[in-house]
Amino acid sequence: MAQQETDQQVENDGFVVDTEDCEERELAHRERGTSRPITVFGNPVLHRECKDVTEFGDELAQLIDDMFASQKTAEGVGLAANQIGVDQKVFVYDCMDDEGVRHVGHVVNPVLQELPADRRVLDESNEGCLSVPTAYAELARPDYAEVHGQDLQGNPIKVRGTGYFARCLQHETDHLYGYLYIDRLSKRDRKDALRQMEEGTPRYPVVAND
């Protein structure tokens, strides 16, 4: 396929405008993409840091399209590349914030910015993961997040979010550095989440761990 123009406008301060034309942009990605099964807990690609993306072209654009298609099939709000078995630092998202505003976009080579102590307000809410299907647990995370990275053409971008969208940004960035949300739980809660996964049946195609 021919190289696409990025669909993410950038403000003067470098933050993407990811709240406009969400339906059209998500649908365009999805129609170009092919849905792939989701890798689940235990698959080695989920438990190590992914490789930095160094080539920005048709292959990366197609990966992002496939990720949007896969995310839609699984009814997720965010998806990291290793969740479809690809060892690269890329994630996509289609997520509402706590005010009901929809955010759609992607980040390549994301880095989560450390917050100063006076801005770290923790929100303890229920969290789940497509790679730990049918399991949920309470997890405290900052209610604001800022991620710096690149778009599909390699241009620098920044994404920020509050509430549920902030949780999504932190969750997906974690994935690309080899962490699942259950790795941040107490031993007891982690064991309970894995029990939920073992007893449940995923509603979407998954890659079996042989």
Side-chain angles (χ1 to χ4, degrees):
M1 62 183 275
Q3 173 131 359
Q4 313 168 71
E5 293 297 316
T6 182
D7 63 359
Q8 297 184 142
Q9 298 177 347
V10 179
E11 298 175 338
N12 291 336
D13 57 5
F15 286 98
V16 297
V17 180
D18 58 7
T19 57
E20 297 179 356
D21 304 318
C22 291
E23 188 72 29
E24 295 84 351
R25 292 188 293 111
E26 189 275 338
L27 180 60
H29 279 299
R30 186 158 39 93
E31 288 185 334
R32 292 190 298 260
T34 300
S35 181
R36 308 192 202 178
I38 303 297
T39 55
V40 295
F41 173 83
N43 190 305
V45 75
L46 294 174
H47 303 282
R48 62 173 182 260
E49 182 176 343
C50 292
K51 296 176 182 175
D52 291 340
V53 174
T54 57
E55 295 186 11
F56 297 82
D58 292 350
E59 189 172 326
L60 175 61
Q62 186 62 60
L63 171 62
I64 289 171
D65 290 341
D66 289 355
M67 290 171 67
F68 271 103
S70 305
Q71 175 178 255
K72 182 68 173 182
T73 298
E75 300 178 5
V77 298
L79 188 75
N82 54 354
Q83 291 185 274
I84 56 169
V86 178
D87 186 11
Q88 292 192 50
K89 285 181 182 168
V90 187
F91 73 77
V92 302
Y93 58 88
D94 182 357
C95 185
M96 296 283 191
D97 60 27
D98 285 358
E99 284 71 49
V101 177
R102 184 179 179 183
H103 300 259
V104 171
H106 66 272
V107 186
V108 181
N109 297 327
V111 176
L112 184 67
Q113 300 304 293
E114 289 289 333
L115 296 177
D118 61 349
R119 294 190 66 184
R120 286 181 59 85
V121 178
L122 294 181
D123 168 36
E124 186 160 350
S125 297
N126 221 29
E127 190 162 331
C129 179
L130 297 178
S131 292
V132 192
T134 73
Y136 297 90
E138 294 282 314
L139 178 62
R141 289 190 188 266
D143 69 353
Y144 173 84
E146 187 174 306
V147 173
H148 295 192
Q150 295 165 283
D151 65 13
L152 60 81
Q153 292 182 317
N155 301 311
I157 58 172
K158 296 185 287 186
V159 181
R160 58 187 166 191
T162 59
Y164 187 58
F165 182 42
R167 181 174 295 273
C168 175
L169 293 174
Q170 294 168 78
H171 180 111
E172 300 309 328
T173 302
D174 269 358
H175 266 303
L176 300 175
Y177 290 86
Y179 295 100
L180 298 169
Y181 85 98
I182 60 173
D183 296 326
R184 297 189 177 277
L185 300 175
S186 67
K187 289 184 179 180
R188 179 180 178 179
D189 288 346
R190 186 176 189 273
K191 183 177 180 180
D192 182 63
L194 292 175
R195 178 192 56 76
Q196 292 178 53
M197 174 183 166
E198 183 68 25
E199 294 176 354
T201 301
R203 65 181 183 274
Y204 43 82
V206 300
V207 178
N209 294 327
D210 298 325

